[in-house]
PDB file of all heavy atoms in Angstrom:
ATOM      1  N   PHE C 724     120.127  94.174  91.175  1.00  0.00           N
ATOM      2  CA  PHE C 724     120.362  94.074  92.618  1.00  0.00           C
ATOM      3  C   PHE C 724     119.164  93.426  93.305  1.00  0.00           C
ATOM      4  O   PHE C 724     119.320  92.528  94.153  1.00  0.00           O
ATOM      5  CB  PHE C 724     120.628  95.475  93.173  1.00  0.00           C
ATOM      6  CG  PHE C 724     120.834  95.541  94.661  1.00  0.00           C
ATOM      7  CD1 PHE C 724     122.105  95.518  95.195  1.00  0.00           C
ATOM      8  CD2 PHE C 724     119.761  95.633  95.532  1.00  0.00           C
ATOM      9  CE1 PHE C 724     122.312  95.583  96.565  1.00  0.00           C
ATOM     10  CE2 PHE C 724     119.945  95.703  96.901  1.00  0.00           C
ATOM     11  CZ  PHE C 724     121.226  95.673  97.411  1.00  0.00           C
ATOM     12  N   ILE C 725     117.964  93.864  92.969  1.00  0.00           N
ATOM     13  CA  ILE C 725     116.759  93.364  93.639  1.00  0.00           C
ATOM     14  C   ILE C 725     116.458  91.927  93.230  1.00  0.00           C
ATOM     15  O   ILE C 725     116.282  91.045  94.074  1.00  0.00           O
ATOM     16  CB  ILE C 725     115.561  94.282  93.311  1.00  0.00           C
ATOM     17  CG1 ILE C 725     115.755  95.666  93.928  1.00  0.00           C
ATOM     18  CG2 ILE C 725     114.250  93.664  93.797  1.00  0.00           C
ATOM     19  CD1 ILE C 725     114.725  96.688  93.490  1.00  0.00           C
ATOM     20  N   HIS C 726     116.379  91.684  91.923  1.00  0.00           N
ATOM     21  CA  HIS C 726     115.898  90.385  91.443  1.00  0.00           C
ATOM     22  C   HIS C 726     116.875  89.262  91.752  1.00  0.00           C
ATOM     23  O   HIS C 726     116.490  88.186  92.215  1.00  0.00           O
ATOM     24  CB  HIS C 726     115.639  90.471  89.930  1.00  0.00           C
ATOM     25  CG  HIS C 726     115.074  89.210  89.356  1.00  0.00           C
ATOM     26  ND1 HIS C 726     115.856  88.264  88.718  1.00  0.00           N
ATOM     27  CD2 HIS C 726     113.801  88.713  89.331  1.00  0.00           C
ATOM     28  CE1 HIS C 726     115.110  87.261  88.323  1.00  0.00           C
ATOM     29  NE2 HIS C 726     113.857  87.507  88.673  1.00  0.00           N
ATOM     30  N   THR C 727     118.155  89.504  91.499  1.00  0.00           N
ATOM     31  CA  THR C 727     119.141  88.442  91.697  1.00  0.00           C
ATOM     32  C   THR C 727     119.294  88.069  93.164  1.00  0.00           C
ATOM     33  O   THR C 727     119.467  86.896  93.501  1.00  0.00           O
ATOM     34  CB  THR C 727     120.503  88.891  91.142  1.00  0.00           C
ATOM     35  OG1 THR C 727     120.349  89.260  89.778  1.00  0.00           O
ATOM     36  CG2 THR C 727     121.527  87.778  91.259  1.00  0.00           C
ATOM     37  N   THR C 728     119.204  89.047  94.038  1.00  0.00           N
ATOM     38  CA  THR C 728     119.478  88.802  95.456  1.00  0.00           C
ATOM     39  C   THR C 728     118.266  88.229  96.196  1.00  0.00           C
ATOM     40  O   THR C 728     118.418  87.301  97.010  1.00  0.00           O
ATOM     41  CB  THR C 728     119.919  90.111  96.141  1.00  0.00           C
ATOM     42  OG1 THR C 728     121.018  90.667  95.425  1.00  0.00           O
ATOM     43  CG2 THR C 728     120.312  89.861  97.582  1.00  0.00           C
ATOM     44  N   PHE C 729     117.086  88.726  95.912  1.00  0.00           N
ATOM     45  CA  PHE C 729     115.936  88.411  96.761  1.00  0.00           C
ATOM     46  C   PHE C 729     114.922  87.473  96.131  1.00  0.00           C
ATOM     47  O   PHE C 729     114.092  86.908  96.847  1.00  0.00           O
ATOM     48  CB  PHE C 729     115.240  89.710  97.168  1.00  0.00           C
ATOM     49  CG  PHE C 729     116.130  90.660  97.917  1.00  0.00           C
ATOM     50  CD1 PHE C 729     116.494  91.874  97.372  1.00  0.00           C
ATOM     51  CD2 PHE C 729     116.629  90.324  99.159  1.00  0.00           C
ATOM     52  CE1 PHE C 729     117.319  92.742  98.052  1.00  0.00           C
ATOM     53  CE2 PHE C 729     117.465  91.183  99.850  1.00  0.00           C
ATOM     54  CZ  PHE C 729     117.812  92.402  99.294  1.00  0.00           C
ATOM     55  N   PHE C 730     114.955  87.273  94.835  1.00  0.00           N
ATOM     56  CA  PHE C 730     113.963  86.430  94.194  1.00  0.00           C
ATOM     57  C   PHE C 730     114.624  85.202  93.580  1.00  0.00           C
ATOM     58  O   PHE C 730     115.845  85.092  93.548  1.00  0.00           O
ATOM     59  CB  PHE C 730     113.197  87.233  93.139  1.00  0.00           C
ATOM     60  CG  PHE C 730     112.351  88.325  93.735  1.00  0.00           C
ATOM     61  CD1 PHE C 730     112.854  89.613  93.860  1.00  0.00           C
ATOM     62  CD2 PHE C 730     111.074  88.055  94.200  1.00  0.00           C
ATOM     63  CE1 PHE C 730     112.092  90.628  94.416  1.00  0.00           C
ATOM     64  CE2 PHE C 730     110.296  89.070  94.760  1.00  0.00           C
ATOM     65  CZ  PHE C 730     110.808  90.348  94.872  1.00  0.00           C
ATOM     66  N   GLY C 731     113.801  84.294  93.082  1.00  0.00           N
ATOM     67  CA  GLY C 731     114.307  83.049  92.547  1.00  0.00           C
ATOM     68  C   GLY C 731     114.303  81.955  93.609  1.00  0.00           C
ATOM     69  O   GLY C 731     113.902  82.157  94.761  1.00  0.00           O
ATOM     70  N   PRO C 732     114.792  80.774  93.258  1.00  0.00           N
ATOM     71  CA  PRO C 732     114.822  79.666  94.220  1.00  0.00           C
ATOM     72  C   PRO C 732     115.869  79.901  95.305  1.00  0.00           C
ATOM     73  O   PRO C 732     116.830  80.642  95.098  1.00  0.00           O
ATOM     74  CB  PRO C 732     115.193  78.470  93.345  1.00  0.00           C
ATOM     75  CG  PRO C 732     115.966  79.061  92.202  1.00  0.00           C
ATOM     76  CD  PRO C 732     115.326  80.393  91.940  1.00  0.00           C
ATOM     77  N   PRO C 733     115.710  79.290  96.466  1.00  0.00           N
ATOM     78  CA  PRO C 733     116.718  79.432  97.523  1.00  0.00           C
ATOM     79  C   PRO C 733     118.086  78.949  97.049  1.00  0.00           C
ATOM     80  O   PRO C 733     118.203  77.966  96.312  1.00  0.00           O
ATOM     81  CB  PRO C 733     116.176  78.553  98.654  1.00  0.00           C
ATOM     82  CG  PRO C 733     114.715  78.461  98.391  1.00  0.00           C
ATOM     83  CD  PRO C 733     114.561  78.488  96.899  1.00  0.00           C
ATOM     84  N   SER C 734     119.112  79.652  97.458  1.00  0.00           N
ATOM     85  CA  SER C 734     120.466  79.322  97.027  1.00  0.00           C
ATOM     86  C   SER C 734     120.954  78.045  97.698  1.00  0.00           C
ATOM     87  O   SER C 734     120.662  77.774  98.870  1.00  0.00           O
ATOM     88  CB  SER C 734     121.414  80.474  97.361  1.00  0.00           C
ATOM     89  OG  SER C 734     122.744  80.124  97.053  1.00  0.00           O
ATOM     90  N   THR C 735     121.719  77.257  96.941  1.00  0.00           N
ATOM     91  CA  THR C 735     122.336  76.035  97.485  1.00  0.00           C
ATOM     92  C   THR C 735     123.844  76.202  97.653  1.00  0.00           C
ATOM     93  O   THR C 735     124.527  75.232  97.985  1.00  0.00           O
ATOM     94  CB  THR C 735     122.055  74.855  96.541  1.00  0.00           C
ATOM     95  OG1 THR C 735     122.578  75.157  95.235  1.00  0.00           O
ATOM     96  CG2 THR C 735     120.553  74.592  96.427  1.00  0.00           C
ATOM     97  N   GLU C 736     124.351  77.399  97.444  1.00  0.00           N
ATOM     98  CA  GLU C 736     125.797  77.619  97.493  1.00  0.00           C
ATOM     99  C   GLU C 736     126.248  78.368  98.740  1.00  0.00           C
ATOM    100  O   GLU C 736     127.425  78.697  98.857  1.00  0.00           O
ATOM    101  CB  GLU C 736     126.247  78.401  96.259  1.00  0.00           C
ATOM    102  CG  GLU C 736     125.960  77.694  94.949  1.00  0.00           C
ATOM    103  CD  GLU C 736     126.541  78.430  93.765  1.00  0.00           C
ATOM    104  OE1 GLU C 736     127.698  78.901  93.893  1.00  0.00           O
ATOM    105  OE2 GLU C 736     125.863  78.564  92.738  1.00  0.00           O
ATOM    106  N   LEU C 737     125.344  78.658  99.648  1.00  0.00           N
ATOM    107  CA  LEU C 737     125.702  79.379 100.859  1.00  0.00           C
ATOM    108  C   LEU C 737     126.125  78.410 101.951  1.00  0.00           C
ATOM    109  O   LEU C 737     125.649  77.265 102.025  1.00  0.00           O
ATOM    110  CB  LEU C 737     124.520  80.233 101.342  1.00  0.00           C
ATOM    111  CG  LEU C 737     124.029  81.315 100.377  1.00  0.00           C
ATOM    112  CD1 LEU C 737     122.820  82.036 100.954  1.00  0.00           C
ATOM    113  CD2 LEU C 737     125.148  82.314 100.074  1.00  0.00           C
ATOM    114  N   ASP C 738     127.018  78.879 102.827  1.00  0.00           N
ATOM    115  CA  ASP C 738     127.526  78.035 103.907  1.00  0.00           C
ATOM    116  C   ASP C 738     126.599  77.999 105.114  1.00  0.00           C
ATOM    117  O   ASP C 738     126.834  77.217 106.037  1.00  0.00           O
ATOM    118  CB  ASP C 738     128.910  78.546 104.354  1.00  0.00           C
ATOM    119  CG  ASP C 738     129.925  78.482 103.233  1.00  0.00           C
ATOM    120  OD1 ASP C 738     129.771  77.615 102.351  1.00  0.00           O
ATOM    121  OD2 ASP C 738     130.860  79.311 103.222  1.00  0.00           O
ATOM    122  N   ARG C 739     125.605  78.845 105.128  1.00  0.00           N
ATOM    123  CA  ARG C 739     124.696  78.907 106.267  1.00  0.00           C
ATOM    124  C   ARG C 739     123.297  79.245 105.782  1.00  0.00           C
ATOM    125  O   ARG C 739     123.124  79.668 104.640  1.00  0.00           O
ATOM    126  CB  ARG C 739     125.174  79.961 107.267  1.00  0.00           C
ATOM    127  CG  ARG C 739     125.092  81.374 106.716  1.00  0.00           C
ATOM    128  CD  ARG C 739     125.772  82.383 107.612  1.00  0.00           C
ATOM    129  NE  ARG C 739     127.226  82.318 107.508  1.00  0.00           N
ATOM    130  CZ  ARG C 739     128.050  83.242 107.977  1.00  0.00           C
ATOM    131  NH1 ARG C 739     127.546  84.306 108.598  1.00  0.00           N
ATOM    132  NH2 ARG C 739     129.350  83.123 107.846  1.00  0.00           N
ATOM    133  N   VAL C 740     122.335  79.058 106.672  1.00  0.00           N
ATOM    134  CA  VAL C 740     120.951  79.416 106.350  1.00  0.00           C
ATOM    135  C   VAL C 740     120.742  80.872 106.738  1.00  0.00           C
ATOM    136  O   VAL C 740     120.901  81.238 107.908  1.00  0.00           O
ATOM    137  CB  VAL C 740     119.952  78.516 107.103  1.00  0.00           C
ATOM    138  CG1 VAL C 740     118.512  78.941 106.789  1.00  0.00           C
ATOM    139  CG2 VAL C 740     120.166  77.057 106.714  1.00  0.00           C
ATOM    140  N   PRO C 741     120.410  81.748 105.790  1.00  0.00           N
ATOM    141  CA  PRO C 741     120.236  83.168 106.123  1.00  0.00           C
ATOM    142  C   PRO C 741     119.055  83.381 107.057  1.00  0.00           C
ATOM    143  O   PRO C 741     118.099  82.585 107.087  1.00  0.00           O
ATOM    144  CB  PRO C 741     119.986  83.822 104.755  1.00  0.00           C
ATOM    145  CG  PRO C 741     120.416  82.825 103.746  1.00  0.00           C
ATOM    146  CD  PRO C 741     120.206  81.484 104.358  1.00  0.00           C
ATOM    147  N   HIS C 742     119.133  84.457 107.811  1.00  0.00           N
ATOM    148  CA  HIS C 742     118.021  84.823 108.696  1.00  0.00           C
ATOM    149  C   HIS C 742     118.086  86.316 108.956  1.00  0.00           C
ATOM    150  O   HIS C 742     119.083  86.977 108.647  1.00  0.00           O
ATOM    151  CB  HIS C 742     118.088  84.039 110.004  1.00  0.00           C
ATOM    152  CG  HIS C 742     119.389  84.202 110.745  1.00  0.00           C
ATOM    153  ND1 HIS C 742     119.675  85.285 111.550  1.00  0.00           N
ATOM    154  CD2 HIS C 742     120.513  83.419 110.766  1.00  0.00           C
ATOM    155  CE1 HIS C 742     120.895  85.173 112.042  1.00  0.00           C
ATOM    156  NE2 HIS C 742     121.429  84.044 111.578  1.00  0.00           N
ATOM    157  N   GLU C 743     117.017  86.839 109.532  1.00  0.00           N
ATOM    158  CA  GLU C 743     116.976  88.268 109.839  1.00  0.00           C
ATOM    159  C   GLU C 743     118.029  88.628 110.883  1.00  0.00           C
ATOM    160  O   GLU C 743     118.316  87.836 111.782  1.00  0.00           O
ATOM    161  CB  GLU C 743     115.591  88.660 110.363  1.00  0.00           C
ATOM    162  CG  GLU C 743     114.502  88.691 109.308  1.00  0.00           C
ATOM    163  CD  GLU C 743     114.632  89.880 108.365  1.00  0.00           C
ATOM    164  OE1 GLU C 743     115.557  90.691 108.545  1.00  0.00           O
ATOM    165  OE2 GLU C 743     113.814  89.982 107.443  1.00  0.00           O
ATOM    166  N   PRO C 744     118.606  89.816 110.778  1.00  0.00           N
ATOM    167  CA  PRO C 744     119.616  90.233 111.759  1.00  0.00           C
ATOM    168  C   PRO C 744     118.954  90.680 113.056  1.00  0.00           C
ATOM    169  O   PRO C 744     117.721  90.852 113.113  1.00  0.00           O
ATOM    170  CB  PRO C 744     120.289  91.414 111.058  1.00  0.00           C
ATOM    171  CG  PRO C 744     119.188  92.021 110.263  1.00  0.00           C
ATOM    172  CD  PRO C 744     118.355  90.863 109.770  1.00  0.00           C
ATOM    173  N   PRO C 745     119.744  90.900 114.108  1.00  0.00           N
ATOM    174  CA  PRO C 745     119.186  91.508 115.324  1.00  0.00           C
ATOM    175  C   PRO C 745     118.570  92.864 115.012  1.00  0.00           C
ATOM    176  O   PRO C 745     118.973  93.559 114.072  1.00  0.00           O
ATOM    177  CB  PRO C 745     120.403  91.645 116.244  1.00  0.00           C
ATOM    178  CG  PRO C 745     121.380  90.636 115.736  1.00  0.00           C
ATOM    179  CD  PRO C 745     121.159  90.541 114.262  1.00  0.00           C
ATOM    180  N   GLY C 746     117.588  93.245 115.805  1.00  0.00           N
ATOM    181  CA  GLY C 746     116.827  94.461 115.529  1.00  0.00           C
ATOM    182  C   GLY C 746     117.686  95.704 115.401  1.00  0.00           C
ATOM    183  O   GLY C 746     117.481  96.519 114.494  1.00  0.00           O
ATOM    184  N   TRP C 747     118.661  95.857 116.296  1.00  0.00           N
ATOM    185  CA  TRP C 747     119.465  97.090 116.267  1.00  0.00           C
ATOM    186  C   TRP C 747     120.403  97.152 115.068  1.00  0.00           C
ATOM    187  O   TRP C 747     120.845  98.232 114.683  1.00  0.00           O
ATOM    188  CB  TRP C 747     120.256  97.223 117.559  1.00  0.00           C
ATOM    189  CG  TRP C 747     119.389  97.667 118.693  1.00  0.00           C
ATOM    190  CD1 TRP C 747     118.954  96.926 119.740  1.00  0.00           C
ATOM    191  CD2 TRP C 747     118.816  98.969 118.848  1.00  0.00           C
ATOM    192  NE1 TRP C 747     118.137  97.666 120.550  1.00  0.00           N
ATOM    193  CE2 TRP C 747     118.038  98.934 120.039  1.00  0.00           C
ATOM    194  CE3 TRP C 747     118.869 100.149 118.116  1.00  0.00           C
ATOM    195  CZ2 TRP C 747     117.339 100.037 120.499  1.00  0.00           C
ATOM    196  CZ3 TRP C 747     118.169 101.254 118.582  1.00  0.00           C
ATOM    197  CH2 TRP C 747     117.417 101.193 119.755  1.00  0.00           C
ATOM    198  N   MET C 748     120.696  96.023 114.457  1.00  0.00           N
ATOM    199  CA  MET C 748     121.496  96.054 113.234  1.00  0.00           C
ATOM    200  C   MET C 748     120.677  96.592 112.064  1.00  0.00           C
ATOM    201  O   MET C 748     121.226  97.150 111.109  1.00  0.00           O
ATOM    202  CB  MET C 748     122.024  94.649 112.917  1.00  0.00           C
ATOM    203  CG  MET C 748     122.975  94.596 111.723  1.00  0.00           C
ATOM    204  SD  MET C 748     123.562  92.927 111.334  1.00  0.00           S
ATOM    205  CE  MET C 748     124.625  92.624 112.727  1.00  0.00           C
ATOM    206  N   ARG C 749     119.381  96.427 112.159  1.00  0.00           N
ATOM    207  CA  ARG C 749     118.505  96.848 111.065  1.00  0.00           C
ATOM    208  C   ARG C 749     117.965  98.264 111.256  1.00  0.00           C
ATOM    209  O   ARG C 749     117.442  98.870 110.311  1.00  0.00           O
ATOM    210  CB  ARG C 749     117.345  95.864 110.955  1.00  0.00           C
ATOM    211  CG  ARG C 749     116.698  95.783 109.593  1.00  0.00           C
ATOM    212  CD  ARG C 749     115.649  94.687 109.541  1.00  0.00           C
ATOM    213  NE  ARG C 749     114.679  94.814 110.620  1.00  0.00           N
ATOM    214  CZ  ARG C 749     114.312  93.829 111.435  1.00  0.00           C
ATOM    215  NH1 ARG C 749     114.851  92.635 111.292  1.00  0.00           N
ATOM    216  NH2 ARG C 749     113.430  94.020 112.397  1.00  0.00           N
ATOM    217  N   ARG C 750     118.063  98.830 112.461  1.00  0.00           N
ATOM    218  CA  ARG C 750     117.462 100.142 112.744  1.00  0.00           C
ATOM    219  C   ARG C 750     117.976 101.257 111.826  1.00  0.00           C
ATOM    220  O   ARG C 750     117.189 102.061 111.338  1.00  0.00           O
ATOM    221  CB  ARG C 750     117.684 100.521 114.209  1.00  0.00           C
ATOM    222  CG  ARG C 750     116.949  99.672 115.208  1.00  0.00           C
ATOM    223  CD  ARG C 750     115.430  99.840 115.125  1.00  0.00           C
ATOM    224  NE  ARG C 750     114.791  98.992 116.114  1.00  0.00           N
ATOM    225  CZ  ARG C 750     114.362  97.753 115.874  1.00  0.00           C
ATOM    226  NH1 ARG C 750     114.497  97.231 114.659  1.00  0.00           N
ATOM    227  NH2 ARG C 750     113.798  97.031 116.811  1.00  0.00           N
TER     228      ARG C 750
END
């Protein structure tokens, strides 16, 4: 779960550029 999702080269198969969510979504 940790290594595959968060490490390695940036993915080229996503439809958008990921970014941090709004603060209250992360609280």
